[in-house]
Amino acid sequence: MVSELSFASIGLVNPKSPENVGSVLRAAGCYGASSIFYTGERYYRASRYVTDTKKMHTRIPTLGVDDLRDVLPEGATPVAIELVRSAKPLPAFEHPKKAFYIFGPEDGSIDKRLVNWCQEVVYIPTQGCMNLAATVNVVLYDRLCKQAIANPYADFWSEEALLS
């Protein structure tokens, strides 16, 4: 759910494949993310493959940037989703009301300086690696579930909630 009180924005570090970027856009639409920022050239090259089947890029601002630190949404807490020793497991993580989730590429990691800049670092406990799109879906779904538990009577799917 997107509102003045709560929002989620997504930062992608040089996303690898057009299929995953399309799936990230779909997840952003499904879970109400307010914007997507990305670094690197691969998304731009992949965008011509039309993997965004729901055309979320027309509803959710999707912008290429040189450095994700330069586009931190006002009042947002930067949260790196990365497998590092000091990271918190997602099931125990309390999502900030205003979050800027940063995801690394499938074929690499988030730069250490960017991870250190983030106020929170979270990992998803799995037995193997997940792809970018699956990781974004899991994080945003976890956020939605925890919001629903905290406010069980909220209508997350009303017309007003979806358009806010």
Side-chain angles (χ1 to χ4, degrees), residues 147-164:
Q147 285 176 337
I149 289 169
N151 190 1
Y153 299 105
D155 183 0
F156 292 101
W157 307 116
S158 70
E159 182 84 18
E160 182 179 293
L162 291 172
L163 295 176
S164 65

Side-chain angles (χ1 to χ4, degrees), residues 105-143:
E106 288 183 288
D107 57 350
S109 296
I110 301 172
D111 182 87
K112 189 175 182 176
R113 292 175 302 219
L114 185 54
V115 171
N116 290 338
W117 173 77
C118 290
Q119 293 176 12
E120 301 280 358
V121 182
V122 176
Y123 77 96
I124 300 171
T126 64
Q127 293 183 1
C129 295
M130 293 169 50
N131 73 20
L132 174 63
T135 303
V136 171
N137 271 282
V138 167
V139 169
L140 294 180
Y141 181 74
D142 184 77
R143 176 184 177 85

Side-chain angles (χ1 to χ4, degrees), residues 33-45:
S34 60
S35 57
I36 299 173
F37 301 96
Y38 63 91
T39 64
E41 295 295 318
R42 296 192 295 192
Y43 169 77
Y44 178 75
R45 289 193 304 254

Side-chain angles (χ1 to χ4, degrees), residues 4 10 15 20 23 31 36 41-42 51 57 71 77 119 147 152 159:
E4 292 179 25
I10 297 171
N20 272 326
S23 295
Y31 299 113
I36 299 173
E41 295 295 318
R42 296 192 295 192
T51 60
H57 70 279
V71 292
T77 300
Q119 293 176 12
Q147 285 176 337
E159 182 84 18

